[in-house]
Structure formats: structure tokens, C-alpha cells
Amino acid sequence: MSDVVAEGRRAGADAPVLARLSVLDRFLPVWIVAAMATGLLLGRLVPGLDEALGAVEIGSVSVPVAVGLLLMMYPVLAKVRYSETGRIAADRRLMVSSLVLNWLVGPALMFALAWLLLPDQPEFRTGLVVVGLARCIAMVLIWNDLSCGDREAAAVLVAVNSVFQILAFAALGWFYLQVLPGWLGLPTTSADFSVGAIVVSVLVFLGVPLLAGFLTRTLGERARGRAWYEDRFLPRIGPVALYGLLFTIVLLFALQGDAITSRPGDVARIALPLLAYFVVMFAGSFVLGRAIGLGYAKTSTLSFTATGNNFELAIAVAIGTFGVTSGQALAGVVGPLIEVPVLVALVHVALWAGRRFFPGDPTVPASAAASSRR
């Protein structure tokens, strides 16, 4: 997110909302749709592009996608005030709520929706279960920043999710694909998840930009002071996050453009439970955050970290376990197709809900407060 939006919290409340946004921020949904369309067209029209991009890998990690994600996450993580993360980690309401939503409610909800809406499609159903187990550790930082959520809280929750992802992903996959269906008298699915692939995904998509952001803030403040770092340096690197986001979206959809455009009926069927999942998870998390008194910024962070999924990991696991042409892999690919535009829309929902349900809360962005008075 460019810092023009973040400065909205401190800007005069009577200034027009759109006047405080850069062109990039103002038309973000347009750029994202354009990036998705560009990726789909490239994947469909350029022969062999998906194979060429997919061939540039280290282990199970696509190098071009990794570069895009690093560009996207580094500026956001460079903004985090790491000295405050201890205070965030001590907030038991936030931490317990996040763990329950991410590792109990989220996977269970996706399991239920997959079985209810895709009872005759075992491959798609299994792919969605895998998506539900891959909790978000990457793009959620962008959505949180755009909604003016708590950056420090987002960094802590993402770090916690990464640890649980390494420890719990394989065990939960076994439970939701074999144990629970067996208890319910449903067909089971055998799957052998690569713990190594999960570890590599976490280290690349979170560890590298997290370390870079931490070192940048620590060394920058030590050399020039916090005022220079936050008022001069951060505004210069801020737009890189959105450039990285758009670059990543183009790459992801170019890699899978042919699969998506050649099977529109299957995409529509997979999209329905995904759409229901995102809406239910976000609404439930937002209501919970307000009910337990977290305030707008932490409630927004709780909601986005619980709603988003690590589709990079889900796609890698599905391809590695079931094959690149499998229905499970297609379900993982459809994930970002639905998640990206839906979560962009939910950013606007969060800003609207902030002024409606958190009156007087100092963490509600000034732009939202201003628009509520017009």
C-alpha cells in the first residue's frame, strides 16, 4: 500500500477521500482486474508460457512468483514497528481468537462447504480442503495494510500461522481427508504431504521478506532516526508493494491461464464454495473481533488473517501430491482467481464497517470517518 492511504489516519478528516489517494490506490480494483485479465490472456495466447515460467523453480517454489511476492511483502514488513510485537503477542484475546479461527474454524468450514456443494466431485473437494488448510502468510499483509489494520498484529499473527503451518498442516490433512470422513461414513482420500515443501514455502514467502524488513527498519532507524525512516524512506518504497502484487497476479494467472479458461464450468463449481468461505469467514471474524473489544485495527487484522489462504502453498502441495493436471490442482488454481477480487472488495467492506460499528475508535482511518459525515 502506498503511504498516502496510511497517512489518511493522520490527515485532516474534512479532506475528500479520493483526493488523498494516489492514482495507483484510487483505481486498485481496476489494476487488479487488468492484471488478472492480462495473465489469463498471456497464459492462453502465448504457447508454452506456463511451462517456461513453471520450469524456473528451486525445489517446489516458482522463482518468478517468489520474486513477485518478495517485492510485494518487503515494503509492508519494513513498515512494521518490531519493538511493539511483544505487546501484540501478549494480547490473549487476539492470539486465541486467531488460533481458533485459523486452525479450527477455517479448515472445518472449508471441509463442510466442499462436501455440501461438491458432493459428486471428489478431486475438487479434496483440492478445496487443501486450500482450507493453507493459512495465509503472504498476501494477507497487503489486504491488512489497505484496510489500515494493525501492522504489528498482522506480523505476529502471520508468524504464528507460519509455525502452525509447519507443525500442523500434514496432521490436519490426514484428519480432514481420512479420519473425519471415515467417522462420518464418507469416502476417504489418501495423501502424503511433503513437510519439506511446506517448510520451504514458509521460509521463502515469509522468512526472507520478514528478515529483510526487520533489518531495514533496525539499521535505518539506527543510522538516520525514526522520523527520517518513516517520513522519508517508507513513502519511497511503499508503492513497490502494489507493483509486486500486480506482477504476482499476472504471473499466477499466466501460469494457470489455460487451465482456467478451458474449463469454465469446473471453475464456476469450485468458485461457489470458495466465495461462501471468504464471506462467512470474514463476517464471522469481524463480528467476533468487535464482540471481544479488539478495536477496529485489530479486528480488521484478525478478519483478514483468518479469511485469506496461502494459495501458493496449496497449489504446490496439490501439484506435488496429485499431479499438475489433477482436479485438486485446478481447485488450488481457482483459489486466487476468487480470493484476489473478493478480498479487495472486503477491504472496502472493512473500511465501511469501521465507521459504522466502531464510532469514536481512534484506529478507524480518518478517510472512513470523513466519508461517514458526508
Side-chain angles (χ1 to χ4, degrees), residues 289-372:
R290 184 176 184 273
I292 62 178
L294 288 181
Y296 169 76
K298 287 185 179 179
T299 294
S300 180
T301 299
L302 176 69
S303 301
F304 281 105
T305 52
T307 303
N309 292 93
N310 185 355
F311 53 78
E312 304 89 6
L313 174 61
I315 293 172
V317 168
I319 291 175
T321 305
F322 302 103
V324 69
T325 61
S326 65
Q328 292 90 338
L330 179 62
V333 168
V334 174
L337 176 69
I338 306 303
E339 180 179 35
V340 170
V342 169
L343 291 192
V344 170
L346 290 176
V347 166
H348 294 280
V349 171
L351 292 170
W352 172 84
R355 68 176 182 263
R356 296 292 181 183
F357 301 113
F358 293 88
D361 188 327
T363 66
V364 175
S367 56
S371 61
S372 69

Coordinates of all heavy atoms in Angstrom, one line a residue, residues 289-372:
G289 N -14.3 -10.0 16.5 CA -13.4 -9.0 16.9 C -14.1 -7.9 17.6 O -13.6 -7.4 18.7
R290 N -15.2 -7.4 17.1 CA -16.0 -6.3 17.7 C -16.6 -6.8 19.0 O -16.6 -6.1 20.0 CB -17.1 -5.9 16.8 CG -17.9 -4.7 17.4 CD -18.9 -4.2 16.3 NE -19.6 -3.0 16.8 CZ -20.7 -3.0 17.6 NH1 -21.2 -4.1 18.0 NH2 -21.2 -1.9 18.0
A291 N -17.0 -8.0 19.1 CA -17.7 -8.5 20.3 C -16.7 -8.6 21.5 O -17.1 -8.4 22.6 CB -18.3 -9.9 20.0
I292 N -15.5 -9.0 21.2 CA -14.5 -9.1 22.3 C -13.7 -7.8 22.5 O -12.7 -7.8 23.3 CB -13.5 -10.3 22.1 CG1 -12.7 -10.1 20.8 CG2 -14.3 -11.6 22.0 CD1 -11.7 -11.2 20.5
G293 N -14.1 -6.8 21.8 CA -13.5 -5.5 22.1 C -12.1 -5.2 21.6 O -11.3 -4.5 22.3
L294 N -11.8 -5.7 20.4 CA -10.4 -5.6 19.9 C -10.1 -4.2 19.3 O -9.0 -3.8 19.2 CB -10.1 -6.6 18.8 CG -10.0 -8.1 19.3 CD1 -9.7 -9.0 18.1 CD2 -8.8 -8.2 20.3
G295 N -11.2 -3.5 19.0 CA -11.0 -2.2 18.2 C -10.9 -2.5 16.8 O -10.6 -3.6 16.3
Y296 N -11.0 -1.4 16.0 CA -11.1 -1.6 14.5 C -9.9 -2.2 13.9 O -9.9 -3.1 13.2 CB -11.4 -0.2 13.8 CG -11.2 -0.4 12.3 CD1 -12.2 -1.0 11.5 CD2 -10.1 0.0 11.7 CE1 -12.0 -1.2 10.2 CE2 -9.9 -0.2 10.3 CZ -10.8 -0.8 9.6 OH -10.7 -1.0 8.2
A297 N -8.7 -1.6 14.2 CA -7.5 -2.0 13.6 C -7.2 -3.5 13.8 O -6.9 -4.3 12.9 CB -6.3 -1.2 14.0
K298 N -7.3 -4.0 15.0 CA -7.0 -5.4 15.3 C -8.1 -6.3 14.8 O -7.9 -7.4 14.4 CB -6.8 -5.6 16.8 CG -5.5 -5.1 17.4 CD -5.3 -5.4 18.8 CE -4.0 -4.9 19.4 NZ -3.8 -5.2 20.8
T299 N -9.4 -5.8 14.8 CA -10.5 -6.6 14.2 C -10.3 -6.8 12.8 O -10.5 -7.9 12.2 CB -11.8 -5.9 14.5 OG1 -12.1 -5.8 15.9 CG2 -13.0 -6.6 13.8
S300 N -9.8 -5.7 12.0 CA -9.6 -5.9 10.6 C -8.5 -6.9 10.4 O -8.6 -7.7 9.5 CB -9.2 -4.5 10.0 OG -9.0 -4.6 8.6
T301 N -7.4 -6.8 11.2 CA -6.3 -7.7 11.0 C -6.7 -9.2 11.3 O -6.4 -10.1 10.6 CB -5.2 -7.3 12.0 OG1 -4.7 -6.0 11.7 CG2 -4.0 -8.3 11.9
L302 N -7.5 -9.3 12.4 CA -8.0 -10.7 12.7 C -8.8 -11.2 11.6 O -8.7 -12.4 11.2 CB -8.8 -10.6 14.0 CG -9.5 -11.9 14.4 CD1 -8.5 -12.9 14.9 CD2 -10.6 -11.6 15.5
S303 N -9.6 -10.4 11.0 CA -10.5 -10.8 9.9 C -9.8 -11.3 8.6 O -10.1 -12.3 8.1 CB -11.5 -9.7 9.6 OG -12.3 -9.4 10.7
F304 N -8.8 -10.5 8.2 CA -8.1 -10.8 7.0 C -7.1 -12.0 7.2 O -7.0 -12.8 6.3 CB -7.4 -9.6 6.5 CG -8.3 -8.6 5.8 CD1 -8.7 -7.4 6.3 CD2 -8.7 -8.9 4.5 CE1 -9.5 -6.5 5.7 CE2 -9.6 -8.0 3.8 CZ -10.0 -6.9 4.4
T305 N -6.5 -12.1 8.4 CA -5.6 -13.2 8.6 C -6.4 -14.5 8.7 O -5.8 -15.6 8.4 CB -4.7 -13.0 9.8 OG1 -5.6 -12.7 11.0 CG2 -3.7 -11.9 9.6
A306 N -7.6 -14.4 9.1 CA -8.5 -15.6 9.2 C -9.1 -16.0 7.9 O -9.4 -17.2 7.6 CB -9.6 -15.5 10.2
T307 N -9.3 -15.0 7.0 CA -10.0 -15.2 5.7 C -9.1 -15.6 4.6 O -9.5 -16.5 3.8 CB -10.8 -13.9 5.3 OG1 -11.7 -13.5 6.4 CG2 -11.6 -14.1 4.1
G308 N -7.9 -15.1 4.5 CA -7.0 -15.4 3.4 C -6.4 -16.7 3.5 O -6.3 -17.3 4.6
N309 N -6.0 -17.2 2.4 CA -5.3 -18.6 2.3 C -4.0 -18.5 1.6 O -3.8 -17.6 0.7 CB -6.2 -19.6 1.6 CG -7.5 -19.9 2.5 OD1 -8.5 -19.3 2.3 ND2 -7.3 -20.8 3.4
N310 N -3.1 -19.4 1.9 CA -1.8 -19.4 1.3 C -1.9 -20.3 0.0 O -1.6 -21.4 0.0 CB -0.8 -20.1 2.3 CG 0.6 -20.1 1.7 OD1 0.9 -19.7 0.6 ND2 1.6 -20.5 2.5
F311 N -2.4 -19.6 -1.0 CA -2.7 -20.4 -2.3 C -1.4 -20.9 -2.9 O -1.4 -21.8 -3.7 CB -3.6 -19.6 -3.2 CG -3.1 -18.3 -3.6 CD1 -2.1 -18.1 -4.5 CD2 -3.7 -17.2 -3.0 CE1 -1.7 -16.8 -4.8 CE2 -3.3 -15.9 -3.3 CZ -2.3 -15.7 -4.2
E312 N -0.3 -20.1 -2.7 CA 1.0 -20.6 -3.2 C 1.3 -22.0 -2.7 O 1.7 -22.9 -3.5 CB 2.1 -19.6 -2.9 CG 1.9 -18.2 -3.3 CD 1.1 -17.4 -2.2 OE1 0.9 -17.9 -1.1 OE2 0.8 -16.3 -2.5
L313 N 1.1 -22.2 -1.4 CA 1.4 -23.5 -0.8 C 0.4 -24.5 -1.2 O 0.7 -25.7 -1.6 CB 1.4 -23.4 0.7 CG 1.5 -24.7 1.5 CD1 2.8 -25.4 1.2 CD2 1.4 -24.4 3.0
A314 N -0.9 -24.1 -1.3 CA -2.0 -25.1 -1.7 C -1.7 -25.6 -3.1 O -1.9 -26.8 -3.3 CB -3.3 -24.4 -1.6
I315 N -1.4 -24.7 -4.0 CA -1.1 -25.1 -5.4 C 0.1 -26.1 -5.4 O 0.1 -27.1 -6.1 CB -0.9 -23.9 -6.3 CG1 -2.2 -23.1 -6.4 CG2 -0.4 -24.3 -7.7 CD1 -2.0 -21.8 -7.2
A316 N 1.2 -25.7 -4.7 CA 2.4 -26.5 -4.7 C 2.1 -27.9 -4.2 O 2.6 -28.9 -4.7 CB 3.5 -25.8 -3.9
V317 N 1.3 -28.0 -3.1 CA 1.0 -29.3 -2.4 C 0.1 -30.1 -3.3 O 0.4 -31.3 -3.5 CB 0.4 -29.0 -1.1 CG1 -0.2 -30.3 -0.5 CG2 1.4 -28.5 -0.1
A318 N -0.9 -29.5 -3.9 CA -1.8 -30.2 -4.8 C -1.1 -30.8 -6.0 O -1.3 -31.9 -6.4 CB -2.9 -29.3 -5.2
I319 N -0.2 -30.0 -6.6 CA 0.5 -30.4 -7.8 C 1.5 -31.5 -7.4 O 1.6 -32.6 -8.1 CB 1.3 -29.3 -8.5 CG1 0.2 -28.3 -9.1 CG2 2.3 -29.8 -9.5 CD1 0.9 -27.1 -9.7
G320 N 2.2 -31.3 -6.3 CA 3.2 -32.3 -5.9 C 2.6 -33.6 -5.5 O 3.2 -34.7 -5.6
T321 N 1.4 -33.6 -4.9 CA 0.7 -34.8 -4.4 C -0.2 -35.5 -5.4 O -0.2 -36.7 -5.5 CB -0.1 -34.4 -3.1 OG1 0.7 -33.8 -2.2 CG2 -0.7 -35.7 -2.5
F322 N -0.9 -34.7 -6.2 CA -1.9 -35.3 -7.1 C -1.6 -35.1 -8.6 O -2.3 -35.7 -9.4 CB -3.3 -34.7 -6.8 CG -3.7 -34.9 -5.4 CD1 -3.7 -33.8 -4.5 CD2 -4.2 -36.1 -4.9 CE1 -4.1 -34.0 -3.1 CE2 -4.6 -36.3 -3.6 CZ -4.5 -35.2 -2.7
G323 N -0.6 -34.2 -8.9 CA -0.3 -34.0 -10.3 C -0.8 -32.7 -10.9 O -1.8 -32.1 -10.4
V324 N 0.0 -32.2 -11.9 CA -0.3 -30.8 -12.4 C -1.7 -30.8 -13.1 O -2.3 -29.7 -13.2 CB 0.8 -30.4 -13.3 CG1 0.9 -31.2 -14.6 CG2 0.7 -28.9 -13.6
T325 N -2.1 -31.9 -13.7 CA -3.4 -31.8 -14.4 C -4.6 -32.3 -13.6 O -5.7 -32.5 -14.1 CB -3.3 -32.7 -15.7 OG1 -3.0 -34.1 -15.3 CG2 -2.2 -32.2 -16.6
S326 N -4.4 -32.5 -12.3 CA -5.5 -33.1 -11.5 C -6.5 -32.0 -11.1 O -6.3 -30.8 -11.2 CB -4.8 -33.6 -10.1 OG -4.3 -32.5 -9.4
G327 N -7.7 -32.5 -10.7 CA -8.7 -31.6 -10.3 C -8.3 -30.9 -9.0 O -8.8 -29.8 -8.7
Q328 N -7.6 -31.6 -8.1 CA -7.1 -31.0 -6.9 C -6.2 -29.7 -7.2 O -6.4 -28.7 -6.6 CB -6.3 -32.0 -6.1 CG -7.1 -33.1 -5.5 CD -7.1 -34.3 -6.4 OE1 -6.9 -34.2 -7.6 NE2 -7.4 -35.5 -5.9
A329 N -5.4 -29.8 -8.2 CA -4.5 -28.7 -8.6 C -5.4 -27.6 -9.2 O -5.1 -26.4 -8.9 CB -3.5 -29.1 -9.6
L330 N -6.4 -27.9 -10.0 CA -7.3 -26.9 -10.5 C -8.0 -26.2 -9.4 O -8.1 -24.9 -9.5 CB -8.3 -27.5 -11.5 CG -9.3 -26.6 -12.1 CD1 -8.6 -25.5 -13.0 CD2 -10.4 -27.3 -12.9
A331 N -8.5 -26.9 -8.4 CA -9.1 -26.2 -7.3 C -8.2 -25.2 -6.6 O -8.6 -24.1 -6.2 CB -9.6 -27.2 -6.2
G332 N -6.9 -25.6 -6.4 CA -5.9 -24.7 -5.9 C -5.7 -23.4 -6.8 O -5.6 -22.3 -6.3
V333 N -5.7 -23.6 -8.1 CA -5.5 -22.6 -9.0 C -6.7 -21.6 -9.0 O -6.5 -20.4 -9.1 CB -5.3 -23.1 -10.5 CG1 -5.4 -22.0 -11.5 CG2 -4.0 -23.8 -10.6
V334 N -7.9 -22.1 -8.8 CA -9.1 -21.2 -8.8 C -9.1 -20.4 -7.5 O -9.7 -19.3 -7.5 CB -10.4 -22.1 -8.9 CG1 -11.6 -21.2 -8.7 CG2 -10.4 -22.8 -10.3
G335 N -8.3 -20.8 -6.5 CA -8.3 -20.1 -5.3 C -8.0 -18.6 -5.4 O -8.8 -17.7 -5.1
P336 N -6.8 -18.2 -6.0 CA -6.5 -16.8 -6.2 C -7.5 -16.1 -7.2 O -7.7 -14.9 -7.1 CB -5.1 -16.8 -6.7 CG -4.8 -18.2 -7.3 CD -5.7 -19.1 -6.4
L337 N -8.0 -16.9 -8.2 CA -9.0 -16.3 -9.1 C -10.2 -15.7 -8.3 O -10.7 -14.6 -8.7 CB -9.5 -17.3 -10.1 CG -10.6 -16.9 -11.1 CD1 -10.0 -15.9 -12.1 CD2 -11.2 -18.1 -11.8
I338 N -10.6 -16.3 -7.3 CA -11.7 -15.9 -6.5 C -11.2 -15.0 -5.3 O -11.8 -13.9 -5.0 CB -12.5 -17.1 -5.9 CG1 -12.9 -18.0 -7.0 CG2 -13.7 -16.6 -5.1 CD1 -13.7 -17.3 -8.1
E339 N -10.1 -15.4 -4.7 CA -9.7 -14.7 -3.5 C -9.3 -13.2 -3.7 O -9.6 -12.3 -3.0 CB -8.5 -15.4 -2.8 CG -8.0 -14.7 -1.6 CD -6.9 -15.5 -0.9 OE1 -6.1 -16.1 -1.7 OE2 -6.8 -15.5 0.3
V340 N -8.5 -13.0 -4.8 CA -8.0 -11.7 -5.0 C -9.1 -10.6 -5.2 O -9.1 -9.6 -4.4 CB -7.0 -11.7 -6.2 CG1 -6.7 -10.2 -6.6 CG2 -5.8 -12.4 -5.9
P341 N -10.1 -10.8 -6.1 CA -11.1 -9.7 -6.2 C -12.0 -9.7 -5.0 O -12.5 -8.6 -4.6 CB -11.9 -10.1 -7.4 CG -11.6 -11.6 -7.6 CD -10.2 -11.8 -7.1
V342 N -12.3 -10.8 -4.3 CA -13.2 -10.8 -3.2 C -12.5 -10.1 -2.0 O -13.2 -9.3 -1.3 CB -13.5 -12.3 -2.8 CG1 -14.2 -12.3 -1.4 CG2 -14.5 -12.9 -3.8
L343 N -11.2 -10.3 -1.8 CA -10.6 -9.7 -0.6 C -10.4 -8.2 -0.9 O -10.4 -7.4 0.0 CB -9.3 -10.4 -0.3 CG -9.5 -11.8 0.4 CD1 -8.2 -12.3 1.0 CD2 -10.5 -11.8 1.4
V344 N -10.2 -7.8 -2.2 CA -10.1 -6.4 -2.5 C -11.5 -5.7 -2.1 O -11.5 -4.7 -1.5 CB -9.8 -6.2 -4.0 CG1 -10.0 -4.7 -4.3 CG2 -8.4 -6.6 -4.3
A345 N -12.6 -6.4 -2.5 CA -13.9 -5.9 -2.1 C -14.1 -5.9 -0.6 O -14.6 -4.9 0.0 CB -15.0 -6.8 -2.7
L346 N -13.5 -6.9 0.1 CA -13.7 -6.9 1.6 C -12.8 -5.8 2.3 O -13.2 -5.4 3.4 CB -13.3 -8.3 2.1 CG -14.3 -9.4 1.8 CD1 -13.7 -10.7 2.3 CD2 -15.6 -9.1 2.4
V347 N -11.8 -5.3 1.6 CA -11.1 -4.1 2.1 C -12.0 -3.0 2.2 O -12.1 -2.3 3.3 CB -9.9 -3.8 1.2 CG1 -9.3 -2.4 1.6 CG2 -8.8 -4.8 1.3
H348 N -12.8 -2.7 1.2 CA -13.8 -1.7 1.2 C -14.9 -1.9 2.2 O -15.4 -1.0 2.9 CB -14.4 -1.5 -0.2 CG -13.4 -1.0 -1.2 ND1 -13.0 0.3 -1.3 CD2 -12.7 -1.7 -2.1 CE1 -12.1 0.4 -2.3 NE2 -11.9 -0.8 -2.8
V349 N -15.3 -3.2 2.4 CA -16.3 -3.5 3.4 C -15.7 -3.2 4.8 O -16.4 -2.7 5.6 CB -16.7 -5.0 3.3 CG1 -17.5 -5.4 4.5 CG2 -17.4 -5.3 2.0
A350 N -14.5 -3.6 5.0 CA -13.9 -3.3 6.3 C -13.8 -1.8 6.6 O -14.1 -1.4 7.8 CB -12.5 -3.9 6.4
L351 N -13.4 -1.0 5.7 CA -13.4 0.4 5.9 C -14.8 1.0 6.2 O -15.0 1.9 7.0 CB -12.8 1.1 4.7 CG -11.3 0.8 4.5 CD1 -10.8 1.3 3.1 CD2 -10.4 1.4 5.6
W352 N -15.8 0.5 5.4 CA -17.2 0.9 5.7 C -17.6 0.5 7.1 O -18.2 1.3 7.8 CB -18.1 0.3 4.6 CG -19.5 0.6 4.9 CD1 -20.3 1.7 4.6 CD2 -20.4 -0.4 5.5 NE1 -21.6 1.5 5.0 CE2 -21.7 0.3 5.6 CE3 -20.3 -1.6 6.1 CZ2 -22.8 -0.4 6.2 CZ3 -21.4 -2.2 6.7 CH2 -22.6 -1.6 6.7
A353 N -17.4 -0.8 7.4 CA -17.8 -1.3 8.7 C -17.1 -0.6 9.9 O -17.6 -0.4 11.0 CB -17.5 -2.8 8.8
G354 N -15.9 -0.1 9.6 CA -15.1 0.6 10.7 C -15.9 1.8 11.1 O -16.0 2.1 12.3
R355 N -16.3 2.6 10.2 CA -17.0 3.8 10.6 C -18.4 3.6 11.1 O -19.0 4.4 11.9 CB -17.1 4.8 9.4 CG -17.9 4.4 8.2 CD -17.9 5.5 7.2 NE -18.8 5.1 6.0 CZ -18.3 4.6 4.9 NH1 -17.1 4.3 4.8 NH2 -19.2 4.3 3.9
R356 N -19.0 2.4 10.7 CA -20.4 2.1 11.2 C -20.4 1.5 12.5 O -21.3 1.8 13.3 CB -21.1 1.2 10.2 CG -21.3 1.8 8.8 CD -22.3 2.9 8.8 NE -22.5 3.4 7.4 CZ -23.3 4.4 7.1 NH1 -23.9 5.0 8.1 NH2 -23.4 4.8 5.9
F357 N -19.5 0.6 12.8 CA -19.5 -0.2 14.0 C -18.5 0.1 15.1 O -18.5 -0.4 16.1 CB -19.4 -1.7 13.7 CG -20.5 -2.1 12.7 CD1 -20.3 -2.5 11.4 CD2 -21.9 -2.1 13.2 CE1 -21.3 -2.9 10.6 CE2 -22.9 -2.5 12.3 CZ -22.6 -2.9 11.0
F358 N -17.6 1.1 14.7 CA -16.5 1.5 15.7 C -16.5 3.0 15.9 O -15.5 3.6 15.6 CB -15.2 1.0 15.3 CG -15.0 -0.5 15.3 CD1 -15.4 -1.3 14.2 CD2 -14.5 -1.2 16.4 CE1 -15.3 -2.7 14.2 CE2 -14.4 -2.6 16.5 CZ -14.8 -3.3 15.3
P359 N -17.6 3.6 16.2 CA -17.7 5.1 16.3 C -16.7 5.5 17.4 O -16.7 5.0 18.5 CB -19.1 5.4 16.7 CG -19.6 4.1 17.3 CD -18.9 3.0 16.6
G360 N -15.9 6.6 17.1 CA -15.0 7.1 18.1 C -13.7 6.3 18.3 O -12.9 6.7 19.1
D361 N -13.6 5.2 17.6 CA -12.4 4.4 17.7 C -11.2 5.2 16.9 O -11.3 5.4 15.8 CB -12.6 3.1 17.0 CG -11.4 2.1 17.3 OD1 -10.3 2.6 17.3 OD2 -11.7 0.9 17.4
P362 N -10.1 5.5 17.6 CA -9.0 6.2 17.0 C -8.3 5.4 15.9 O -7.5 6.0 15.1 CB -8.1 6.5 18.2 CG -8.4 5.5 19.2 CD -9.8 5.2 19.1
T363 N -8.5 4.1 15.9 CA -7.8 3.3 14.8 C -8.6 3.3 13.5 O -8.1 2.7 12.5 CB -7.5 1.9 15.3 OG1 -8.8 1.2 15.5 CG2 -6.8 1.9 16.6
V364 N -9.8 3.8 13.5 CA -10.6 3.9 12.3 C -9.9 4.9 11.4 O -9.6 6.0 11.8 CB -12.0 4.3 12.5 CG1 -12.8 4.4 11.2 CG2 -12.7 3.2 13.3
P365 N -9.6 4.6 10.1 CA -8.9 5.6 9.2 C -9.7 6.9 9.1 O -10.9 6.9 9.1 CB -8.9 4.8 7.9 CG -9.0 3.4 8.2 CD -9.8 3.3 9.4
A366 N -9.0 8.0 9.1 CA -9.6 9.3 9.0 C -10.5 9.4 7.8 O -11.5 10.1 7.8 CB -8.6 10.4 9.1
S367 N -10.0 8.8 6.7 CA -10.8 8.9 5.4 C -12.2 8.3 5.6 O -13.1 8.7 5.1 CB -10.0 8.2 4.3 OG -9.7 6.9 4.6
A368 N -12.2 7.1 6.3 CA -13.5 6.5 6.6 C -14.4 7.3 7.4 O -15.6 7.4 7.2 CB -13.3 5.1 7.2
A369 N -13.8 7.9 8.5 CA -14.6 8.8 9.4 C -15.1 10.0 8.6 O -16.2 10.4 8.8 CB -13.7 9.2 10.5
A370 N -14.3 10.5 7.7 CA -14.7 11.7 6.9 C -15.9 11.3 6.0 O -16.9 12.0 5.9 CB -13.6 12.2 6.1
S371 N -15.8 10.2 5.4 CA -16.8 9.8 4.4 C -18.2 9.5 5.1 O -19.2 9.7 4.6 CB -16.4 8.6 3.6 OG -16.2 7.5 4.4
S372 N -18.1 9.1 6.4 CA -19.3 8.8 7.1 C -20.1 10.1 7.5 O -21.3 10.1 7.8 CB -19.0 8.1 8.4 OG -18.3 8.9 9.3

